[in-house]
């Protein structure tokens, strides 16, 4: 199990009510399950539409259970952004 930081942006930040929090998980799926438990409701709905960066690298379509998290790493939670 690795420990690091989850950072929320835009609608995810508003739904979580915080900008960042620690994680203790081996995979992105485990980290997101813990987030859903801590923040039931709106954040769970927002997460369904989000993209994720792990230490600056996009997760893309990979299964979240296959994405390993590193000690001291960062998970960026990026909801869809309007405009362009």
């Amino acid at each position: 199990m690795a420990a690091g930081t989850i950072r929320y942006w835009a609608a995810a930040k508003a739904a979580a009510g915080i900008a960042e929090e620690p994680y203790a998980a081996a995979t992105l799926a485990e980290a997101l399950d813990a987030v859903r438990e801590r923040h039931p409701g709106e954040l769970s709905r927002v997460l369904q539409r989000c993209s994720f960066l792990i230490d600056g690298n996009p997760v893309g379509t990979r299964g979240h259970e296959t994405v390993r998290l590193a000690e001291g790493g960062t998970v960026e939670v990026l909801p869809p952004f309007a405009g362009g």
Side-chain angles (χ1 to χ4, degrees), residues 9-37:
W9 298 96
K13 180 178 175 181
I18 55 174
E20 64 181 48
E21 65 183 324
Y23 71 73
T27 66
L28 177 57
E30 290 175 12
L32 293 177
D33 286 345
V35 164
R36 289 181 187 100
E37 286 179 25

Side-chain angles (χ1 to χ4, degrees), residues 60-77:
T61 59
R62 290 182 288 162
H64 296 168
E65 68 282 351
T66 68
V67 179
R68 308 290 300 170
L69 300 179
E71 183 67 30
T74 302
V75 175
E76 307 279 352
V77 180

